[in-house]
Amino acid sequence: MSNSGFFWATGDYLTHRFNPELGIGRVTALDGRALVAEFPRSGTTLRMAANTDALLTVDLSPGRPVRVTATMEDTTIAARLPDGRLRLANGHTASSHELWPLELEGALLERLALGDLDDVEDFVTRLNILHLLSVREADGLGSFLGGRVRLFPHQLHVAERASASNPVRWLLADEVGLGKTIEASLILNRLVHTGQVQRCLVVAPDALTVQWLGELWRKYHQVFTLLDSQRLADVARDFGPDFNPFDVHRRAVVALELLTERPRLTDQAVKAGIDLLVVDEAQRLRRPPGHPGEPGWRAIAPIAGLGRHVLLLSATPLEDDAHGFFRLLQLLRPEEFPEDMSFEARLALATPLPPCTSSTRRADIGGLPPRVGVPITLDDPAGWRMNLAVEAALRDAAAPHAVARRQKIDRVRRALASGAALGTVLGPAVAPDERALRQQAEAMDAADPRLRWLLSQAPRWRDAREKTLVFVAHRETLEMLRTAFSHRAQLATGVFHEELSPARRDTEVARFREPDGPSLLVSTECGGEGRNFEFCRRLVLFDLPWKPSLVEQRIGRLDRIGRRIPVEIVYFRPPGGIGADVVRLFEALGFFREPLAGLEPQLAHVEGAIEALALDPLATLSEKRFEALVSEAHAARTRIREAAYQQLHRNPYRSDMAASILARVPGELDALNEEVVVTACIGLGFTIERPRGDRTFAIELGTGALVDGLPGVPGGSSFVGSFNREEAVENETLDFFASGHPLVEGIFAHFEESALGRVVRFEVEIAQEHGEGIVAVYKDGPAFEVVVFDSVGQARPDWAAALRQRPLRARGVTGTPAESRDWMDMVRRIGARLDPARRPHALAAVVVRPARQTA
């Protein structure tokens, strides 16, 4: 069974989506989940997985020219009979296996001469499809416009620059939240739709694999398979233990952890010949100086070494980690960065990097919503004093349990430094002399002023239908908050933590995103990596990490491209102690007002100072040390802003490019797409309803459909979607009917292969012109050309230009010309003027009449 839902059988006819030059082929054998197809025209035999989407069934609808294999007679299909046999135009019947489909183009002139004509409406639809295919190229941007995403010029700029190289080997190192995943998907989309790649492999951290699957399908209509342990076991069971899983699943997502654990997977990927490798969170690929590389590096390097398309996504800019950055460039351009090169020396040269990097910053874009810190001052220090008292009691505990107590003290210190409630870090089993401490801790949880504040605000947020993301450091804190919200405020919450499966995490986020879903989602740090929560109104930092990069990572879940309202960041000001010092320091450094933007490594001294304080919970940050830390951080931020590193990226995006880039997007594209697709669906007998929305349609290939299915779309399929980009982005329950969508591409593929609207005779009004002629439509990829010769054999480019105008108001001509010998002679005489080296996509006889004058 193919991805289209079609069950292959021996004798079925097919074509290859990505290699049309193979011609028409036939299934000659089935072997489990694989098939063998022979293509006589090219003399090629292929063995492929039966579920590949590279194979398309050949349409055998009425009007299709065929050859009877027994007699070598050429004829056409007249009708499909109830028993499945086909009635031919010569009066005979035959099964499909007794025929061979002919290439459509060569038979068109003879059909026109014989008066074997199609409906004019189908010809107009075919011509409109050609218009749409041409328009949606959008001066080179076309393959980037089909995704269910808002169009941001910096992403289009990066995708276009990267796609211009062959092979595409690119490092996407934009600041967090600017859409590296979208840029990668745009590039992937173009490579797939232009037939440059067939085998794609996306490698991501395990926590992000299901998200990648969902993003590729929901936003770009790309079907990928998650290659996890279970799927690999299925391949071994169905095809044998030595079968290459990348031959079965040509587009796959695999966890970096699994690829690292199973080196054989890397060998199989290399053997299969991955055409496009995408690696998310590529900063995890580490290779220290003089080292062969950590396991993740060794798992990826051989695949990248194939020399084909590679996209690396890294949240680590050049300013953050120059060595790690250049190591990634070594994966992409080993010839530019040989092993003996000193990265520091290469930087010192200040020469631009090879054209294989982009690192867009917020400052390059401008106009993003601001960050708004919302400090909550805690005026009840009791809970914080209890934290210190319990910690001191544990620290002074008796010697017999010294090691265990010391470990517990360390846990308490970490919790105190991050602001976590102490009761969440005390283990369930405590020594008898600690029971009183545990009771104190439980009481502290109940009296925690942060929790009391949240419980007072959360019902109001729910009633306002506002979404709030709450970050905590520990799983135990998460459970405590969920229980408190449920029992004390009757509020349901979503949760996101390390112990949930990737699929369950996706489900929790999807529920949270729904308007009627939970108004709160509580997450541990694993929600701070790669997840998009830009739809949330606010972020609550229930505890505040010492590490500035972790704070930035949390905020970055909301502060993302596409957000239209300020990023509201709620944090708590403790009444004293190290927690108060940390908050005061982070406020002075502006962490709640602007992104770090490559400042992370320069803030190591800040983190070190906080850790030193944590060794003595009673200590505080002196004013002198505080001022020194702030001064050093501000100086580092200034150095980063003035650094020349950003200039090493060739042709970076600038905000003044936005207007010219967006001007290349055709304003009429969505409306033209709607007109063409809906008209084609009506002509094919599909059921169409208008349930709701601006340009929302419910479309079904129902019992009244005139075709059994479309390429990639089996009969009985139904879709509810919109032709309006903004409506589809806002409501992910709707499909986005745009380029790449199965229905849209299925209609185009059907008309490409079908006999519909190939040969017609029509009349049209053109100025004061009068006459007859032959129209040839030639298709060359997404471009098309109309050529017209009049009845005396004269080329008429003026008529051709008029016929290219939309809308084409063509009307059928009454009477059949087939009875006229003069007609046949004229068609063949004028047809002889057509370029014999070109194969027409469609042919028409045209009657031109003067345009009627309007009052």
PDB file of all heavy atoms in Angstrom, residues 449-479:
ATOM      1  N   PRO A 449       4.227  31.743  49.863  1.00  0.00           N
ATOM      2  CA  PRO A 449       3.554  32.945  49.350  1.00  0.00           C
ATOM      3  C   PRO A 449       3.446  32.963  47.827  1.00  0.00           C
ATOM      4  O   PRO A 449       2.522  33.557  47.281  1.00  0.00           O
ATOM      5  CB  PRO A 449       4.432  34.086  49.868  1.00  0.00           C
ATOM      6  CG  PRO A 449       5.748  33.464  50.184  1.00  0.00           C
ATOM      7  CD  PRO A 449       5.466  32.065  50.611  1.00  0.00           C
ATOM      8  N   ARG A 450       4.389  32.328  47.134  1.00  0.00           N
ATOM      9  CA  ARG A 450       4.279  32.255  45.676  1.00  0.00           C
ATOM     10  C   ARG A 450       3.043  31.454  45.268  1.00  0.00           C
ATOM     11  O   ARG A 450       2.299  31.829  44.352  1.00  0.00           O
ATOM     12  CB  ARG A 450       5.533  31.604  45.087  1.00  0.00           C
ATOM     13  CG  ARG A 450       6.805  32.391  45.324  1.00  0.00           C
ATOM     14  CD  ARG A 450       8.032  31.568  44.986  1.00  0.00           C
ATOM     15  NE  ARG A 450       8.079  30.350  45.787  1.00  0.00           N
ATOM     16  CZ  ARG A 450       8.953  29.355  45.615  1.00  0.00           C
ATOM     17  NH1 ARG A 450       9.841  29.460  44.654  1.00  0.00           N
ATOM     18  NH2 ARG A 450       8.942  28.291  46.382  1.00  0.00           N
ATOM     19  N   LEU A 451       2.841  30.331  45.944  1.00  0.00           N
ATOM     20  CA  LEU A 451       1.690  29.493  45.636  1.00  0.00           C
ATOM     21  C   LEU A 451       0.393  30.225  45.968  1.00  0.00           C
ATOM     22  O   LEU A 451      -0.574  30.174  45.193  1.00  0.00           O
ATOM     23  CB  LEU A 451       1.776  28.177  46.412  1.00  0.00           C
ATOM     24  CG  LEU A 451       0.617  27.200  46.221  1.00  0.00           C
ATOM     25  CD1 LEU A 451       0.428  26.858  44.747  1.00  0.00           C
ATOM     26  CD2 LEU A 451       0.842  25.941  47.040  1.00  0.00           C
ATOM     27  N   ARG A 452       0.387  30.912  47.110  1.00  0.00           N
ATOM     28  CA  ARG A 452      -0.831  31.662  47.460  1.00  0.00           C
ATOM     29  C   ARG A 452      -1.141  32.708  46.402  1.00  0.00           C
ATOM     30  O   ARG A 452      -2.299  32.906  46.033  1.00  0.00           O
ATOM     31  CB  ARG A 452      -0.655  32.322  48.838  1.00  0.00           C
ATOM     32  CG  ARG A 452      -0.623  31.356  50.000  1.00  0.00           C
ATOM     33  CD  ARG A 452      -1.062  32.043  51.303  1.00  0.00           C
ATOM     34  NE  ARG A 452      -0.350  33.294  51.519  1.00  0.00           N
ATOM     35  CZ  ARG A 452       0.808  33.397  52.172  1.00  0.00           C
ATOM     36  NH1 ARG A 452       1.388  32.296  52.646  1.00  0.00           N
ATOM     37  NH2 ARG A 452       1.395  34.557  52.344  1.00  0.00           N
ATOM     38  N   TRP A 453      -0.100  33.379  45.901  1.00  0.00           N
ATOM     39  CA  TRP A 453      -0.332  34.397  44.867  1.00  0.00           C
ATOM     40  C   TRP A 453      -0.875  33.749  43.602  1.00  0.00           C
ATOM     41  O   TRP A 453      -1.822  34.269  42.981  1.00  0.00           O
ATOM     42  CB  TRP A 453       0.977  35.130  44.577  1.00  0.00           C
ATOM     43  CG  TRP A 453       0.795  36.273  43.615  1.00  0.00           C
ATOM     44  CD1 TRP A 453       0.429  37.557  43.903  1.00  0.00           C
ATOM     45  CD2 TRP A 453       0.932  36.217  42.184  1.00  0.00           C
ATOM     46  NE1 TRP A 453       0.342  38.305  42.761  1.00  0.00           N
ATOM     47  CE2 TRP A 453       0.642  37.504  41.681  1.00  0.00           C
ATOM     48  CE3 TRP A 453       1.271  35.211  41.291  1.00  0.00           C
ATOM     49  CZ2 TRP A 453       0.692  37.805  40.331  1.00  0.00           C
ATOM     50  CZ3 TRP A 453       1.307  35.508  39.938  1.00  0.00           C
ATOM     51  CH2 TRP A 453       1.025  36.786  39.465  1.00  0.00           C
ATOM     52  N   LEU A 454      -0.288  32.649  43.181  1.00  0.00           N
ATOM     53  CA  LEU A 454      -0.758  31.971  41.981  1.00  0.00           C
ATOM     54  C   LEU A 454      -2.205  31.525  42.124  1.00  0.00           C
ATOM     55  O   LEU A 454      -3.008  31.672  41.196  1.00  0.00           O
ATOM     56  CB  LEU A 454       0.124  30.758  41.678  1.00  0.00           C
ATOM     57  CG  LEU A 454       1.418  31.002  40.908  1.00  0.00           C
ATOM     58  CD1 LEU A 454       2.202  29.707  40.772  1.00  0.00           C
ATOM     59  CD2 LEU A 454       1.127  31.571  39.531  1.00  0.00           C
ATOM     60  N   LEU A 455      -2.545  30.971  43.283  1.00  0.00           N
ATOM     61  CA  LEU A 455      -3.912  30.503  43.498  1.00  0.00           C
ATOM     62  C   LEU A 455      -4.912  31.657  43.472  1.00  0.00           C
ATOM     63  O   LEU A 455      -6.077  31.469  43.093  1.00  0.00           O
ATOM     64  CB  LEU A 455      -4.015  29.759  44.832  1.00  0.00           C
ATOM     65  CG  LEU A 455      -3.293  28.401  44.885  1.00  0.00           C
ATOM     66  CD1 LEU A 455      -3.301  27.855  46.311  1.00  0.00           C
ATOM     67  CD2 LEU A 455      -3.968  27.408  43.945  1.00  0.00           C
ATOM     68  N   SER A 456      -4.452  32.846  43.839  1.00  0.00           N
ATOM     69  CA  SER A 456      -5.362  34.003  43.815  1.00  0.00           C
ATOM     70  C   SER A 456      -5.550  34.548  42.404  1.00  0.00           C
ATOM     71  O   SER A 456      -6.582  35.157  42.103  1.00  0.00           O
ATOM     72  CB  SER A 456      -4.821  35.103  44.732  1.00  0.00           C
ATOM     73  OG  SER A 456      -3.645  35.692  44.176  1.00  0.00           O
ATOM     74  N   GLN A 457      -4.552  34.341  41.510  1.00  0.00           N
ATOM     75  CA  GLN A 457      -4.611  34.918  40.171  1.00  0.00           C
ATOM     76  C   GLN A 457      -5.145  33.945  39.114  1.00  0.00           C
ATOM     77  O   GLN A 457      -5.774  34.358  38.139  1.00  0.00           O
ATOM     78  CB  GLN A 457      -3.207  35.373  39.748  1.00  0.00           C
ATOM     79  CG  GLN A 457      -2.589  36.428  40.643  1.00  0.00           C
ATOM     80  CD  GLN A 457      -3.392  37.707  40.666  1.00  0.00           C
ATOM     81  OE1 GLN A 457      -3.791  38.218  39.624  1.00  0.00           O
ATOM     82  NE2 GLN A 457      -3.644  38.231  41.860  1.00  0.00           N
ATOM     83  N   ALA A 458      -4.862  32.677  39.281  1.00  0.00           N
ATOM     84  CA  ALA A 458      -5.161  31.698  38.233  1.00  0.00           C
ATOM     85  C   ALA A 458      -6.634  31.670  37.825  1.00  0.00           C
ATOM     86  O   ALA A 458      -6.936  31.576  36.623  1.00  0.00           O
ATOM     87  CB  ALA A 458      -4.691  30.310  38.659  1.00  0.00           C
ATOM     88  N   PRO A 459      -7.595  31.728  38.762  1.00  0.00           N
ATOM     89  CA  PRO A 459      -9.000  31.737  38.320  1.00  0.00           C
ATOM     90  C   PRO A 459      -9.327  32.931  37.425  1.00  0.00           C
ATOM     91  O   PRO A 459     -10.106  32.803  36.476  1.00  0.00           O
ATOM     92  CB  PRO A 459      -9.778  31.777  39.642  1.00  0.00           C
ATOM     93  CG  PRO A 459      -8.850  31.168  40.650  1.00  0.00           C
ATOM     94  CD  PRO A 459      -7.491  31.624  40.243  1.00  0.00           C
ATOM     95  N   ARG A 460      -8.737  34.063  37.723  1.00  0.00           N
ATOM     96  CA  ARG A 460      -8.985  35.254  36.893  1.00  0.00           C
ATOM     97  C   ARG A 460      -8.417  35.059  35.497  1.00  0.00           C
ATOM     98  O   ARG A 460      -9.056  35.429  34.496  1.00  0.00           O
ATOM     99  CB  ARG A 460      -8.370  36.484  37.567  1.00  0.00           C
ATOM    100  CG  ARG A 460      -8.547  37.773  36.797  1.00  0.00           C
ATOM    101  CD  ARG A 460      -8.039  38.971  37.596  1.00  0.00           C
ATOM    102  NE  ARG A 460      -6.625  38.867  37.860  1.00  0.00           N
ATOM    103  CZ  ARG A 460      -5.671  39.215  36.988  1.00  0.00           C
ATOM    104  NH1 ARG A 460      -6.018  39.677  35.795  1.00  0.00           N
ATOM    105  NH2 ARG A 460      -4.399  39.110  37.294  1.00  0.00           N
ATOM    106  N   TRP A 461      -7.232  34.470  35.385  1.00  0.00           N
ATOM    107  CA  TRP A 461      -6.634  34.202  34.075  1.00  0.00           C
ATOM    108  C   TRP A 461      -7.502  33.234  33.284  1.00  0.00           C
ATOM    109  O   TRP A 461      -7.689  33.387  32.088  1.00  0.00           O
ATOM    110  CB  TRP A 461      -5.236  33.620  34.250  1.00  0.00           C
ATOM    111  CG  TRP A 461      -4.252  34.544  34.915  1.00  0.00           C
ATOM    112  CD1 TRP A 461      -4.343  35.897  35.008  1.00  0.00           C
ATOM    113  CD2 TRP A 461      -3.056  34.167  35.588  1.00  0.00           C
ATOM    114  NE1 TRP A 461      -3.272  36.405  35.700  1.00  0.00           N
ATOM    115  CE2 TRP A 461      -2.452  35.360  36.065  1.00  0.00           C
ATOM    116  CE3 TRP A 461      -2.422  32.956  35.840  1.00  0.00           C
ATOM    117  CZ2 TRP A 461      -1.248  35.354  36.776  1.00  0.00           C
ATOM    118  CZ3 TRP A 461      -1.219  32.943  36.539  1.00  0.00           C
ATOM    119  CH2 TRP A 461      -0.645  34.133  37.008  1.00  0.00           C
ATOM    120  N   ARG A 462      -8.013  32.223  33.995  1.00  0.00           N
ATOM    121  CA  ARG A 462      -8.881  31.248  33.316  1.00  0.00           C
ATOM    122  C   ARG A 462     -10.127  31.921  32.785  1.00  0.00           C
ATOM    123  O   ARG A 462     -10.520  31.695  31.628  1.00  0.00           O
ATOM    124  CB  ARG A 462      -9.261  30.130  34.276  1.00  0.00           C
ATOM    125  CG  ARG A 462     -10.256  29.107  33.700  1.00  0.00           C
ATOM    126  CD  ARG A 462     -10.932  28.313  34.803  1.00  0.00           C
ATOM    127  NE  ARG A 462     -11.626  29.204  35.720  1.00  0.00           N
ATOM    128  CZ  ARG A 462     -12.036  28.853  36.941  1.00  0.00           C
ATOM    129  NH1 ARG A 462     -11.826  27.622  37.379  1.00  0.00           N
ATOM    130  NH2 ARG A 462     -12.659  29.727  37.716  1.00  0.00           N
ATOM    131  N   ASP A 463     -10.752  32.749  33.599  1.00  0.00           N
ATOM    132  CA  ASP A 463     -11.989  33.406  33.176  1.00  0.00           C
ATOM    133  C   ASP A 463     -11.751  34.354  32.005  1.00  0.00           C
ATOM    134  O   ASP A 463     -12.648  34.572  31.178  1.00  0.00           O
ATOM    135  CB  ASP A 463     -12.606  34.177  34.351  1.00  0.00           C
ATOM    136  CG  ASP A 463     -13.056  33.244  35.483  1.00  0.00           C
ATOM    137  OD1 ASP A 463     -13.211  32.031  35.217  1.00  0.00           O
ATOM    138  OD2 ASP A 463     -13.233  33.725  36.618  1.00  0.00           O
ATOM    139  N   ALA A 464     -10.549  34.907  31.923  1.00  0.00           N
ATOM    140  CA  ALA A 464     -10.201  35.789  30.802  1.00  0.00           C
ATOM    141  C   ALA A 464      -9.733  35.004  29.585  1.00  0.00           C
ATOM    142  O   ALA A 464      -9.363  35.601  28.577  1.00  0.00           O
ATOM    143  CB  ALA A 464      -9.122  36.772  31.237  1.00  0.00           C
ATOM    144  N   ARG A 465      -9.723  33.662  29.690  1.00  0.00           N
ATOM    145  CA  ARG A 465      -9.291  32.758  28.612  1.00  0.00           C
ATOM    146  C   ARG A 465      -7.853  33.064  28.186  1.00  0.00           C
ATOM    147  O   ARG A 465      -7.517  33.059  26.996  1.00  0.00           O
ATOM    148  CB  ARG A 465     -10.245  32.825  27.427  1.00  0.00           C
ATOM    149  CG  ARG A 465     -11.683  32.464  27.774  1.00  0.00           C
ATOM    150  CD  ARG A 465     -12.606  32.590  26.584  1.00  0.00           C
ATOM    151  NE  ARG A 465     -12.343  31.550  25.598  1.00  0.00           N
ATOM    152  CZ  ARG A 465     -12.806  30.306  25.664  1.00  0.00           C
ATOM    153  NH1 ARG A 465     -13.560  29.930  26.696  1.00  0.00           N
ATOM    154  NH2 ARG A 465     -12.530  29.418  24.706  1.00  0.00           N
ATOM    155  N   GLU A 466      -7.003  33.330  29.181  1.00  0.00           N
ATOM    156  CA  GLU A 466      -5.586  33.601  28.945  1.00  0.00           C
ATOM    157  C   GLU A 466      -4.770  32.362  29.307  1.00  0.00           C
ATOM    158  O   GLU A 466      -5.034  31.704  30.308  1.00  0.00           O
ATOM    159  CB  GLU A 466      -5.115  34.790  29.783  1.00  0.00           C
ATOM    160  CG  GLU A 466      -5.812  36.091  29.426  1.00  0.00           C
ATOM    161  CD  GLU A 466      -5.487  37.211  30.395  1.00  0.00           C
ATOM    162  OE1 GLU A 466      -4.849  36.942  31.435  1.00  0.00           O
ATOM    163  OE2 GLU A 466      -5.895  38.356  30.116  1.00  0.00           O
ATOM    164  N   LYS A 467      -3.785  32.069  28.482  1.00  0.00           N
ATOM    165  CA  LYS A 467      -2.927  30.913  28.703  1.00  0.00           C
ATOM    166  C   LYS A 467      -1.664  31.347  29.454  1.00  0.00           C
ATOM    167  O   LYS A 467      -1.035  32.352  29.102  1.00  0.00           O
ATOM    168  CB  LYS A 467      -2.529  30.275  27.382  1.00  0.00           C
ATOM    169  CG  LYS A 467      -3.710  29.783  26.544  1.00  0.00           C
ATOM    170  CD  LYS A 467      -4.406  28.582  27.177  1.00  0.00           C
ATOM    171  CE  LYS A 467      -5.503  28.047  26.273  1.00  0.00           C
ATOM    172  NZ  LYS A 467      -6.160  26.847  26.824  1.00  0.00           N
ATOM    173  N   THR A 468      -1.293  30.554  30.472  1.00  0.00           N
ATOM    174  CA  THR A 468      -0.141  30.871  31.313  1.00  0.00           C
ATOM    175  C   THR A 468       0.768  29.653  31.410  1.00  0.00           C
ATOM    176  O   THR A 468       0.310  28.560  31.737  1.00  0.00           O
ATOM    177  CB  THR A 468      -0.586  31.296  32.725  1.00  0.00           C
ATOM    178  OG1 THR A 468      -1.431  32.448  32.623  1.00  0.00           O
ATOM    179  CG2 THR A 468       0.611  31.623  33.598  1.00  0.00           C
ATOM    180  N   LEU A 469       2.048  29.849  31.110  1.00  0.00           N
ATOM    181  CA  LEU A 469       3.051  28.792  31.229  1.00  0.00           C
ATOM    182  C   LEU A 469       3.832  29.016  32.515  1.00  0.00           C
ATOM    183  O   LEU A 469       4.376  30.102  32.738  1.00  0.00           O
ATOM    184  CB  LEU A 469       3.992  28.831  30.024  1.00  0.00           C
ATOM    185  CG  LEU A 469       5.165  27.854  30.040  1.00  0.00           C
ATOM    186  CD1 LEU A 469       4.685  26.407  30.030  1.00  0.00           C
ATOM    187  CD2 LEU A 469       6.099  28.113  28.850  1.00  0.00           C
ATOM    188  N   VAL A 470       3.883  27.999  33.376  1.00  0.00           N
ATOM    189  CA  VAL A 470       4.571  28.083  34.667  1.00  0.00           C
ATOM    190  C   VAL A 470       5.789  27.166  34.608  1.00  0.00           C
ATOM    191  O   VAL A 470       5.656  25.960  34.376  1.00  0.00           O
ATOM    192  CB  VAL A 470       3.650  27.673  35.830  1.00  0.00           C
ATOM    193  CG1 VAL A 470       4.390  27.794  37.161  1.00  0.00           C
ATOM    194  CG2 VAL A 470       2.382  28.519  35.835  1.00  0.00           C
ATOM    195  N   PHE A 471       6.980  27.722  34.837  1.00  0.00           N
ATOM    196  CA  PHE A 471       8.195  26.920  34.850  1.00  0.00           C
ATOM    197  C   PHE A 471       8.635  26.640  36.278  1.00  0.00           C
ATOM    198  O   PHE A 471       8.621  27.526  37.137  1.00  0.00           O
ATOM    199  CB  PHE A 471       9.335  27.650  34.124  1.00  0.00           C
ATOM    200  CG  PHE A 471       9.515  27.205  32.709  1.00  0.00           C
ATOM    201  CD1 PHE A 471       9.257  28.070  31.657  1.00  0.00           C
ATOM    202  CD2 PHE A 471       9.959  25.921  32.427  1.00  0.00           C
ATOM    203  CE1 PHE A 471       9.431  27.660  30.341  1.00  0.00           C
ATOM    204  CE2 PHE A 471      10.129  25.501  31.108  1.00  0.00           C
ATOM    205  CZ  PHE A 471       9.864  26.372  30.063  1.00  0.00           C
ATOM    206  N   VAL A 472       9.037  25.385  36.523  1.00  0.00           N
ATOM    207  CA  VAL A 472       9.593  24.980  37.818  1.00  0.00           C
ATOM    208  C   VAL A 472      10.879  24.204  37.546  1.00  0.00           C
ATOM    209  O   VAL A 472      11.102  23.698  36.444  1.00  0.00           O
ATOM    210  CB  VAL A 472       8.605  24.097  38.610  1.00  0.00           C
ATOM    211  CG1 VAL A 472       7.329  24.861  38.923  1.00  0.00           C
ATOM    212  CG2 VAL A 472       8.292  22.812  37.851  1.00  0.00           C
ATOM    213  N   ALA A 473      11.718  24.080  38.566  1.00  0.00           N
ATOM    214  CA  ALA A 473      12.987  23.388  38.391  1.00  0.00           C
ATOM    215  C   ALA A 473      12.857  21.888  38.601  1.00  0.00           C
ATOM    216  O   ALA A 473      13.604  21.111  38.002  1.00  0.00           O
ATOM    217  CB  ALA A 473      14.025  23.953  39.361  1.00  0.00           C
ATOM    218  N   HIS A 474      11.916  21.459  39.443  1.00  0.00           N
ATOM    219  CA  HIS A 474      11.855  20.058  39.847  1.00  0.00           C
ATOM    220  C   HIS A 474      10.503  19.434  39.555  1.00  0.00           C
ATOM    221  O   HIS A 474       9.468  20.104  39.631  1.00  0.00           O
ATOM    222  CB  HIS A 474      12.145  19.919  41.351  1.00  0.00           C
ATOM    223  CG  HIS A 474      13.442  20.537  41.771  1.00  0.00           C
ATOM    224  ND1 HIS A 474      14.656  19.992  41.460  1.00  0.00           N
ATOM    225  CD2 HIS A 474      13.702  21.682  42.460  1.00  0.00           C
ATOM    226  CE1 HIS A 474      15.617  20.769  41.945  1.00  0.00           C
ATOM    227  NE2 HIS A 474      15.066  21.793  42.550  1.00  0.00           N
ATOM    228  N   ARG A 475      10.541  18.155  39.238  1.00  0.00           N
ATOM    229  CA  ARG A 475       9.308  17.402  39.004  1.00  0.00           C
ATOM    230  C   ARG A 475       8.416  17.424  40.242  1.00  0.00           C
ATOM    231  O   ARG A 475       7.185  17.527  40.140  1.00  0.00           O
ATOM    232  CB  ARG A 475       9.678  15.957  38.643  1.00  0.00           C
ATOM    233  CG  ARG A 475       8.529  14.975  38.672  1.00  0.00           C
ATOM    234  CD  ARG A 475       7.606  15.131  37.474  1.00  0.00           C
ATOM    235  NE  ARG A 475       6.419  14.309  37.615  1.00  0.00           N
ATOM    236  CZ  ARG A 475       6.382  12.998  37.395  1.00  0.00           C
ATOM    237  NH1 ARG A 475       7.484  12.348  37.022  1.00  0.00           N
ATOM    238  NH2 ARG A 475       5.247  12.336  37.531  1.00  0.00           N
ATOM    239  N   GLU A 476       9.030  17.345  41.440  1.00  0.00           N
ATOM    240  CA  GLU A 476       8.222  17.337  42.671  1.00  0.00           C
ATOM    241  C   GLU A 476       7.457  18.643  42.842  1.00  0.00           C
ATOM    242  O   GLU A 476       6.313  18.656  43.292  1.00  0.00           O
ATOM    243  CB  GLU A 476       9.128  17.091  43.881  1.00  0.00           C
ATOM    244  CG  GLU A 476       9.796  15.723  43.883  1.00  0.00           C
ATOM    245  CD  GLU A 476      11.120  15.713  43.136  1.00  0.00           C
ATOM    246  OE1 GLU A 476      11.421  16.713  42.437  1.00  0.00           O
ATOM    247  OE2 GLU A 476      11.845  14.708  43.244  1.00  0.00           O
ATOM    248  N   THR A 477       8.107  19.753  42.466  1.00  0.00           N
ATOM    249  CA  THR A 477       7.412  21.045  42.543  1.00  0.00           C
ATOM    250  C   THR A 477       6.227  21.057  41.583  1.00  0.00           C
ATOM    251  O   THR A 477       5.150  21.570  41.904  1.00  0.00           O
ATOM    252  CB  THR A 477       8.377  22.193  42.204  1.00  0.00           C
ATOM    253  OG1 THR A 477       9.562  22.067  42.975  1.00  0.00           O
ATOM    254  CG2 THR A 477       7.729  23.540  42.481  1.00  0.00           C
ATOM    255  N   LEU A 478       6.423  20.501  40.414  1.00  0.00           N
ATOM    256  CA  LEU A 478       5.335  20.416  39.424  1.00  0.00           C
ATOM    257  C   LEU A 478       4.136  19.685  40.010  1.00  0.00           C
ATOM    258  O   LEU A 478       2.987  20.138  39.892  1.00  0.00           O
ATOM    259  CB  LEU A 478       5.854  19.713  38.171  1.00  0.00           C
ATOM    260  CG  LEU A 478       4.883  19.490  37.002  1.00  0.00           C
ATOM    261  CD1 LEU A 478       5.651  19.506  35.679  1.00  0.00           C
ATOM    262  CD2 LEU A 478       4.131  18.177  37.116  1.00  0.00           C
ATOM    263  N   GLU A 479       4.384  18.532  40.631  1.00  0.00           N
ATOM    264  CA  GLU A 479       3.274  17.750  41.193  1.00  0.00           C
ATOM    265  C   GLU A 479       2.593  18.502  42.327  1.00  0.00           C
ATOM    266  O   GLU A 479       1.367  18.448  42.479  1.00  0.00           O
ATOM    267  CB  GLU A 479       3.779  16.395  41.667  1.00  0.00           C
ATOM    268  CG  GLU A 479       4.333  15.505  40.566  1.00  0.00           C
ATOM    269  CD  GLU A 479       3.281  15.138  39.530  1.00  0.00           C
ATOM    270  OE1 GLU A 479       2.071  15.256  39.826  1.00  0.00           O
ATOM    271  OE2 GLU A 479       3.660  14.741  38.412  1.00  0.00           O
TER     272      GLU A 479
END
